[in-house]
Amino acid sequence: EISENRERSQQKQKCIMEAKEASNSRSSEGGAGEPEWAKQSLRKRCECELCLSGVATTHNDSSHDQSLDQKLSVAGLELRIIGGTTKCARVMVKFFEDLYKDGSLKNKKVVEVGSGTGLVGMCLGLLGGHVTLTDQSYVMEVLEYNIQNIGKQAKDNKKDFVVTTKEHVWGTDIKGLVPCDVVIGSDLIFAHEGIRPLVTSVTQMVKTSLEAGKQHVDCYIAVIRRFKWEESFFKLMDENFECKKAAEDGDIVIYQYTWHGKGGGKLSAPPKEEAKNT
């Protein structure tokens, strides 16, 4: 299972690299017509554990489109996202548009973990948040490409748009990311070896922000279930957070996490088998 999951992570990295090449191709073609790559999709048939067992029946329907070139309505603007988006991200955008329609996000500091092509974080930027999109180094070019284009569009429409990027590998130093008011992430728990580092980053971001004087830190994670091992994410989060379902759309669930800190901001030691494989 671990080797299969690492292969999934490598495939995701390859897709991002293809998206970077695609954006460069679009620039070189000078915008004349639609480039060939714009007709392509990152989406491949899902063969996760739940699909193969017949438990999941919707992972390959049209709602999971991941076309390289997507046009989406977000926070009152028609956006073009290069590099594809996930259904988790699109569901989160609708959720946040409704949650923050009252302007309550204005000037709040938001950190997105595992931003991918940046759709969710950029949505929160258009809704008034001061957003930092984080991911690994190979994702930065696509993120910055989308931020630049959407930033210009926001300016033309007289909308505030404060969105930046910062490299962050889960489980490493969170300096420069905290204190923050909101922590978000979507479609992040499919890689077994990434779950503990992910929970470590989220936990430390919230804990450090509260210690710095924030009265409350909102944390939202959107999930689609694929593998049995994903249960470890929920167990680790339960050590320091109270969990409740904030929204559900088909096979996507958005969880809201509220800090209780009973674990002291630390995580229990991994089981011997997990420690051996990661």
Side-chain angles (χ1 to χ4, degrees):
E1 288 182 341
I2 296 297
S3 62
E4 290 177 2
N5 220 21
R6 285 185 177 138
E7 183 178 349
R8 286 179 61 83
S9 297
Q10 291 166 358
Q11 289 173 345
K12 182 179 180 182
Q13 181 171 349
K14 182 181 177 182
C15 286
I16 294 294
M17 295 301 292
E18 288 173 356
K20 287 168 65 176
E21 292 172 6
S23 66
N24 291 336
S25 171
R26 178 170 177 262
S27 297
S28 66
E29 292 177 22
E34 288 296 331
E36 187 61 30
W37 62 263
K39 305 171 186 176
Q40 300 174 4
S41 174
L42 301 184
R43 180 174 175 266
K44 297 181 179 179
R45 184 170 182 80
C46 182
E47 296 182 346
C48 75
E49 182 179 24
L50 298 188
C51 281
L52 293 177
S53 66
V55 174
T57 60
T58 60
H59 291 188
N60 292 297
D61 66 24
S62 59
S63 70
H64 284 278
D65 173 55
Q66 293 188 52
S67 300
L68 276 171
D69 186 6
Q70 292 188 359
K71 299 175 180 66
L72 303 163
S73 178
V74 177
L77 296 182
E78 297 299 319
L79 305 185
R80 186 178 194 181
I81 305 295
I82 303 302
T85 67
T86 65
K87 182 179 179 181
C88 267
R90 296 189 293 272
V91 169
M92 259 199 140
V93 163
K94 293 178 182 178
F95 170 74
F96 285 135
E97 285 180 313
D98 184 62
L99 181 67
Y100 294 123
K101 63 186 177 183
D102 60 355
S104 59
L105 189 66
K106 189 171 179 60
N107 297 329
K108 289 189 176 180
K109 184 173 180 181
V110 181
V111 176
E112 181 178 18
V113 290
S115 297
T117 54
L119 173 62
V120 183
M122 289 188 290
C123 168
L124 293 183
L126 291 169
L127 291 170
H130 291 187
V131 184
T132 302
L133 306 180
T134 72
D135 215 310
Q136 298 185 59
S137 58
Y138 62 84
V139 183
M140 291 298 112
E141 187 175 345
V142 170
L143 271 177
E144 290 166 3
Y145 182 92
N146 282 329
I147 289 171
Q148 182 180 27
N149 287 346
I150 292 169
K152 290 177 181 176
Q153 194 172 346
K155 184 177 180 180
D156 290 343
N157 285 271
K158 296 181 172 54
K159 277 184 171 284
D160 292 335
F161 187 71
V162 182
V163 180
T164 59
T165 64
K166 185 176 178 61
E167 290 182 25
H168 176 67
V169 177
W170 299 339
T172 64
D173 191 2
I174 59 171
K175 184 178 180 181
L177 297 174
V178 291
C180 58
D181 301 288
V182 184
V183 178
I184 64 167
S186 66
D187 202 359
L188 303 177
I189 67 172
F190 60 86
H192 184 275
E193 64 272 23
I195 288 176
R196 181 172 289 270
L198 169 63
V199 176
T200 297
S201 283
V202 171
T203 300
Q204 289 307 307
M205 287 177 189
V206 174
K207 178 176 183 286
T208 304
S209 297
L210 291 170
E211 290 174 344
K214 295 291 184 182
Q215 295 300 308
H216 179 75
V217 180
D218 292 319
C219 180
Y220 296 96
I221 306 291
V223 169
I224 177 171
R225 299 298 297 268
R226 297 184 178 94
F227 301 97
K228 291 179 181 177
W229 65 62
E230 293 166 340
E231 193 59 36
S232 65
F233 167 79
F234 298 97
K235 290 180 179 178
L236 287 172
M237 288 294 286
D238 284 347
E239 294 181 8
N240 288 286
F241 295 90
E242 178 183 344
C243 172
K244 75 172 185 179
K245 283 186 182 180
E248 190 167 2
D249 186 338
D251 46 19
I252 309 298
V253 180
I254 299 175
Y255 293 96
Q256 179 180 10
Y257 286 97
T258 303
W259 182 260
H260 59 60
K262 294 178 181 178
K266 298 179 180 180
L267 303 183
S268 59
K272 290 182 179 180
E273 189 63 24
E274 179 183 333
K276 182 176 69 175
N277 289 328
T278 56

